[in-house]
Amino acid sequence: MRAALLGSPVAHSRSPVLHRAAYAALGLDDWTYEAVECTAEELPRWVAARDASWAGLSVTMPGKRAALELASSVTPRARRVGAANTLVPRDGGWAADCTDVDGIAGALRAARVRDAGIAAGITDVVVLGSGATACAAIAGVFEVGSESVTLVVRDVARAAGTLAVARAHGFHRRPVTWDDLDVGHLVTATSLINTTPADAIGPGLAERLVAALPPWSVVLDAVYHPWPTPLAAAAAARGLPVATGLDMLLHQAFGQVEQFTGLPAPREAMHEALAATTDVALLPLPG
């Protein structure tokens, strides 16, 4: 059987490491997984040309919306997020899901259990950014039982799609612009999730944000290169648990492997394989 990652660019992706390690651990020696350069415009035609030898497709940017639109069936969470990162052949068509939600939820759980002193759940979340990762973050914190989400955005008007995702998950708190952000929005946050680009938060701002967080908070920074980010460095200096984009990648891959193969994901083998490719410390898997 065959599987692949579609996106542009994809040469940097560690998804092949995770999937190949999983297939090897499961004894699926004749399975392959490749990275394919594919734009959003090319994706429908490329997917339509696949035959019965294909077990599934991972989709990264910029094709996640195109993947959702071509699917013949869509999970409720992918529909709410407005994007799909997983396609599985089913009944002559393709079923779409968004395991990015699992990536956020799994990384947050791993960060929380890393520190036995954290008794609070992930109930009050601040999300920085308004792009596709922010949408997945909203769905992810919904899955871990969050009660409120505050979005911090550059422009409220341009964040309309992300705000719609928040409302679809029952979060109705008004967004905050960066100009209006103050520490009062952070003093009760049980998690701070950054989905902005690597250069968006400098050391001074990072230290100010982290200093306002309560001692039971966890920080998830979707960036993992370059590492550490100023936000991650400030959180680590304060002793707060930090999850990275690699933790997210790991936890989203579990669901993809299970949907592709129909078998439980070999989580330890996948964790070890990813850890061997990076100097970034991965969080331990929750017990």
Side-chain angles (χ1 to χ4, degrees):
M1 299 296 292
R2 304 175 70 185
L5 169 69
L6 307 182
S8 183
V10 291
H12 67 288
S13 176
R14 290 181 171 85
S15 286
V17 171
L18 289 166
H19 280 261
R20 290 167 186 168
Y23 304 156
L26 293 170
L28 303 176
D29 299 329
D30 57 345
W31 281 53
T32 63
Y33 188 95
E34 58 188 300
V36 177
E37 282 285 328
C38 183
T39 66
E41 294 74 22
E42 295 167 335
L43 189 142
R45 183 172 63 254
W46 196 95
V47 173
R50 298 313 97 193
D51 59 24
S53 67
W54 287 82
L57 299 168
S58 309
V59 182
T60 189
M61 298 303 289
K64 293 183 180 183
R65 184 169 294 278
L68 184 76
E69 292 173 351
L70 70 79
S72 53
S73 64
V74 178
T75 61
R77 64 181 182 178
R79 182 71 68 193
R80 287 195 298 268
V81 171
N85 75 327
T86 305
L87 291 171
V88 179
R90 183 176 298 159
D91 301 327
W94 292 87
D97 190 18
C98 184
T99 67
D100 286 334
V101 178
D102 298 330
I104 296 286
L108 286 174
R109 290 189 181 106
R112 187 177 67 177
V113 302
R114 191 222 68 170
D115 190 334
I118 295 180
I122 308 296
T123 56
D124 186 0
V125 181
V126 175
V127 177
L128 309 178
S130 61
T133 304
C135 291
I138 292 165
V141 300
F142 174 82
E143 292 213 351
V144 299
S146 296
E147 298 169 357
S148 67
V149 172
T150 299
L151 279 175
V152 181
V153 302
R154 300 274 178 206
D155 184 340
V156 173
R158 295 180 63 184
T162 310
L163 295 173
V165 172
R167 289 192 294 271
H169 288 85
F171 300 127
H172 299 285
R173 184 173 289 184
R174 293 180 62 183
V176 177
T177 65
W178 282 94
D179 291 338
D180 295 331
L181 179 64
D182 61 48
V183 296
H185 295 101
L186 298 169
V187 294
T188 62
T190 51
S191 181
L192 175 64
I193 301 177
N194 177 41
T195 70
T196 65
D199 59 355
I201 300 177
L205 177 58
E207 291 169 7
R208 186 163 67 89
L209 294 174
V210 169
L213 293 171
W216 55 82
S217 189
V218 301
V219 174
L220 192 164
D221 197 329
V223 176
Y224 60 85
H225 181 77
W227 191 261
T229 63
L231 187 66
R238 208 183 145 196
L240 300 181
V242 178
T244 76
L246 289 178
D247 293 300
M248 291 166 48
L249 183 71
L250 174 67
H251 285 270
Q252 67 80 32
F254 296 152
Q256 286 190 338
V257 166
E258 291 175 355
Q259 291 188 48
F260 292 1
T261 68
L263 299 170
R267 299 187 173 212
E268 290 289 351
M270 295 170 70
H271 185 280
E272 292 175 6
L274 182 59
T277 71
T278 179
D279 294 329
V280 178
L282 298 179
L283 289 168
L285 294 174

